[in-house]
């Protein structure tokens, strides 16, 4: 029984299609790594969390992604999203409702006590 299991493991481990797929994806992983590295330069400029209120309910938007274009995407645990850039204003993504963050800059959010930085 054990020899059958080991032979199946060996067959799967040396599957030529799996090996080819792994090598085919290597160039793409290098591209993703360079984008992440470019974004690291500005990551410290964005707050980790932005707190917004809409119709009496507070929502915590967590920094999710920073694109190479300098636009940060914030997401709540219930999948609401917003964007902001260093010189721009906060905007909702995929929704037209405006809460207490809409149209504010990062400086305005910080001065209003709605932006929370790590290590600042």
């Amino acid at each position: 029984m054990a020899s059958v299991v080991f032979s199946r493991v060996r067959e799967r481990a040396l599957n030529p299609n799996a090996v080819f797929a792994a090598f085919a994806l290597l160039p793409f992983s290098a591209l993703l790594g360079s984008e992440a590295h470019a974004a690291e330069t500005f990551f410290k400029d964005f707050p980790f969390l932005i707190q917004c209120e809409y119709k009496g309910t507070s929502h915590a938007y967590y920094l999710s992604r920073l694109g190479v274009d300098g636009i940060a995407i914030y997401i709540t645990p219930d999948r609401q999203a917003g964007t902001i850039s260093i010189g721009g204003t906060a905007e909702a993504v995929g929704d037209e409702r405006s809460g207490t963050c809409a149209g504010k800059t990062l400086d305005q959010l910080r001065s209003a006590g709605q932006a929370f930085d790590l290590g600042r």
Side-chain angles (χ1 to χ4, degrees), residues 16-102:
N17 292 331
V19 173
F20 175 76
F23 281 108
L25 293 174
L26 282 175
F28 295 109
S29 65
L31 287 174
L32 292 174
S34 66
E35 286 180 14
H37 182 69
E40 284 178 27
T41 308
F42 305 106
F43 201 81
K44 65 181 175 27
D45 297 327
F46 288 89
F48 169 72
L49 177 122
I50 296 177
Q51 181 269 325
C52 304
E53 188 176 316
Y54 177 72
K55 291 188 176 183
T57 302
S58 290
H59 299 273
Y61 287 81
Y62 296 94
L63 181 57
S64 174
R65 183 173 68 191
L66 179 58
V68 293
D69 56 358
I71 296 175
I73 297 175
Y74 286 81
I75 298 177
T76 67
D78 59 346
R79 297 185 180 184
Q80 296 177 34
T83 62
I84 195 165
S85 64
I86 293 291
T89 59
E91 298 177 20
V93 173
D95 202 346
E96 294 187 19
R97 57 184 169 167
S98 62
T100 58
C101 292

